Amino acid sequence: MNIEEEILAPYSTEHAIKVAAYACTSKANFKLLMDCFASDDNRLSQRAAWCVNWAAQQKPEMIVP
């Protein structure tokens, strides 16, 4: 899955949860999500924030550096 493309695709709660679940499968995937969250692209960053929220609820240990 290309996280950035998925985040910028037509969006819904279910879609955000799907991206978050994928991000939680590995530290590398979670880093890609965090890179989107830290992006200068406002739309990408805002949508990624929603996914980060879901991911942090599911696996809070992933959010710790």
Side-chain angles (χ1 to χ4, degrees):
M1 172 188 292
N2 182 317
I3 291 179
E4 184 173 341
E5 285 180 9
E6 289 295 321
I7 289 172
L8 293 175
Y11 222 58
S12 66
T13 301
E14 293 81 19
H15 192 79
I17 292 169
K18 178 179 139 186
V19 171
Y22 177 76
C24 286
T25 62
S26 74
K27 289 184 179 189
N29 291 342
F30 195 81
K31 183 185 179 325
L32 292 174
L33 176 59
M34 292 304 293
D35 289 344
C36 291
F37 176 64
S39 172
D40 289 334
D41 180 337
N42 287 336
R43 191 173 99 180
L44 177 62
S45 179
Q46 290 171 354
R47 288 184 176 187
W50 200 14
C51 297
V52 170
N53 178 46
W54 286 105
Q57 288 179 28
Q58 296 302 310
K59 294 226 177 179
E61 65 275 8
M62 297 290 275
I63 202 78
V64 177

